[in-house]
Amino acid sequence: MSSLPLIWRKFPERYLMKGNKCETCGTAFFPARNICPNCRRKGKLVEEEMPRQGKIFSWTEVFSGPCGFEMETPYFIAIIELENGAKILSQIVDSPKEKVKTGAKVKKVFRKISDIDPEGPIAYGYKFKVVD
């Protein structure tokens, strides 16, 4: 069960979508960064929970999934621009194909990420769903 420590170590990112924001220039980051690329040393980064809503910035449909995800194909992956401007990569779930498009509004949902080891933990995390 080598994956259990990783799941708990990534708890704030995976479950709460904690990132950070530069108080100097106002740029939000997810995952959190150690230094603002815009302000460098002058920037002051503070922890911030990311918004739960945004829009699809770019997307693609995956027909040939990587190892462990072959049974889930086809599925959608998108770059989501959150309401605070941070961009993250996420799977789009529970959404009909005709609604998955650039600019579509989405909201965060909590879903299973993996359960590869039959005796190990089930990893949960965020994904996004198109909303009307």
Side-chain angles (χ1 to χ4, degrees):
M1 274 204 275
S2 62
S3 63
L4 187 58
L6 177 64
I7 291 168
W8 287 105
R9 192 168 39 249
K10 298 286 186 179
F11 187 86
E13 292 171 11
R14 186 170 283 168
Y15 296 102
L16 303 175
M17 277 185 51
K18 292 262 179 153
N20 58 11
K21 182 177 183 176
C22 178
E23 288 188 327
T24 306
C25 69
T27 306
F29 303 102
F30 184 82
R33 293 189 178 206
N34 293 325
I35 189 167
C36 176
N38 304 320
C39 303
R40 304 286 179 189
R41 291 185 190 180
K42 297 176 188 173
K44 180 181 178 195
L45 294 170
V46 293
E47 185 177 76
E48 179 178 279
E49 188 171 339
M50 295 290 109
R52 295 182 172 151
Q53 297 180 346
K55 64 182 177 181
I56 296 176
F57 182 79
S58 179
W59 64 276
T60 190
E61 188 172 5
V62 177
F63 293 98
S64 180
C67 182
F69 295 91
E70 304 92 352
M71 302 303 290
E72 295 187 28
T73 57
Y75 59 90
F76 298 102
I77 293 289
I79 296 174
I80 307 296
E81 183 175 356
L82 299 174
E83 290 177 334
N84 64 358
K87 291 185 178 86
I88 65 171
L89 181 66
S90 180
Q91 185 177 1
I92 303 294
V93 296
D94 305 333
S95 303
K97 185 174 184 169
E98 61 273 5
K99 292 195 174 197
V100 178
K101 57 187 172 186
T102 302
K105 293 184 181 199
V106 293
K107 72 174 184 175
K108 180 180 103 168
V109 294
F110 196 66
R111 295 289 188 272
K112 180 171 69 171
I113 302 289
S114 71
D115 61 355
I116 295 172
D117 185 351
E119 295 185 23
I122 297 173
Y124 292 92
Y126 63 86
K127 295 184 181 186
F128 283 81
K129 173 182 179 177
V130 175
V131 293
D132 294 322

